[in-house]
Amino acid sequence: MSNINIAIDGPAGAGKSSVSKEIANILGYIYIDTGALYRAIAYYTYSKGVEDFSDTKVVELLDEIDIQLRYIDNVQRVFVNGLDVSDYIRTPNISLGASKVSAIPEVRSFLLCLQRDIAESNNIIMDGRDIGTVVLPNADLKIFLTASAEERANRRYNQIKDTPNCPCWEEILEDINQRDYNDTHREIAPLKRSDDAILLDTTNMNQDETIAHILSLIREIA
Ligand code: DC
């Protein structure tokens, strides 16, 4: 049987990455977090002084960027020009930057082959915004994972509330709403449910229930 490709799309904070990581571990698939690729570009351009992530400057810098995903102890690490940037790409500033650079068509086509190449030769579970619609339109299973913005803010707040300089709940909600707006309103590859994706609203589901539900869907096709 050929490789199994599973596409998980949905808005920021819906739990795509935790759920996908766990399922990949259980099934021995490779988990591909495509958001990390956009974040890596945002990080690199920011480190080069492009603090407004303006289209023309970001596009100019693409020529000098080489991105690779490597798996160390089964964990995805993202490398830019040979440097592991994985630990620097989760700040609020880079989150917003990733949302901005991801609206640039040249950035999206720059990352498309990389994503498809990995999917071609492995059993994978890939999460993002346009996996079912653009990157892997022939995926074996497509899931659109979502939850209310308030519930996503609750989850995020609970994850980070004990860290230094933690933003308040209202700020987290505002950031989520801003990113939802950016991701759904951009012209190219906006976040939207593919017609053939299964909608899974996890507002009232915990992580274990979500994982169990998705595993049962995978077992139907794999
Ligand atoms: O999943 P994430 O929050 O790490 O993604 C960071 C940003 O990258 C997000 O605002 C939207 C963008 N993104 C995208 O446009 N397409 C993807 N396949 C993955 C992420």
Side-chain angles (χ1 to χ4, degrees):
M1 186 165 179
S2 60
N3 292 312
I4 303 283
N5 285 182
I6 295 162
I8 312 251
D9 289 302
K16 300 184 300 293
S17 65
S18 347
V19 162
S20 304
K21 228 181 269 175
E22 187 62 30
I23 292 173
N25 269 340
I26 293 169
L27 298 177
Y29 288 13
I30 290 183
Y31 163 57
I32 303 158
D33 162 16
T34 62
L37 300 169
Y38 294 91
R39 287 171 180 273
I41 290 184
Y43 175 79
Y44 184 80
T45 51
Y46 189 81
S47 74
K48 291 287 168 185
V50 184
E51 297 184 7
D52 60 354
F53 305 102
S54 79
D55 292 25
T56 37
K57 290 188 189 138
V58 172
V59 171
E60 266 174 36
L61 285 175
L62 286 180
D63 279 344
E64 57 184 75
I65 300 181
D66 170 55
I67 296 204
Q68 283 183 358
L69 289 180
R70 294 187 202 157
Y71 289 83
I72 299 173
D73 293 335
N74 247 350
V75 175
Q76 172 182 302
R77 309 288 298 182
V78 56
F79 287 72
V80 179
N81 298 341
L83 215 75
D84 184 352
V85 301
S86 318
D87 293 335
Y88 312 111
I89 58 174
R90 305 276 160 201
T91 64
N93 185 33
I94 298 301
S95 297
L96 213 55
S99 178
K100 286 188 182 160
V101 302
S102 68
I104 304 173
E106 288 86 346
V107 169
R108 302 205 75 85
S109 45
F110 178 80
L111 293 175
L112 191 58
C113 293
L114 175 63
Q115 296 168 83
R116 284 187 178 154
D117 283 351
I118 304 174
E120 208 172 65
S121 38
N122 299 284
N123 286 333
I124 56 109
I125 177 158
M126 184 180 280
D127 88 32
R129 304 293 190 286
D130 61 338
I131 310 306
T133 50
V134 177
V135 181
L136 303 175
N138 298 320
D140 302 279
L141 176 66
K142 300 180 187 178
I143 293 171
F144 193 85
L145 197 69
T146 189
S148 71
E150 288 74 16
E151 173 58 19
R152 288 184 278 136
N154 288 343
R155 292 175 189 170
R156 181 81 188 124
Y157 180 72
N158 286 329
Q159 271 172 356
I160 61 173
K161 64 176 190 277
D162 296 326
T163 57
N165 306 321
C166 170
C168 68
W169 185 85
E170 285 76 12
E171 280 175 89
I172 293 174
L173 180 63
E174 200 182 305
D175 174 64
I176 283 181
N177 282 330
Q178 179 66 54
R179 288 216 281 151
D180 282 359
Y181 184 88
N182 290 353
D183 293 347
T184 51
H185 284 79
R186 64 170 177 242
E187 267 178 40
I188 178 158
L191 169 66
K192 71 171 177 60
R193 179 160 83 95
S194 161
D195 290 340
D196 52 354
I198 295 169
L199 176 67
L200 192 53
D201 184 335
T202 68
T203 305
N204 298 309
M205 287 168 87
N206 66 30
Q207 187 166 306
D208 287 347
E209 289 166 336
T210 307
I211 289 170
H213 189 83
I214 296 178
L215 279 173
S216 71
L217 294 171
I218 296 174
R219 289 200 178 104
E220 283 174 22
I221 57 116

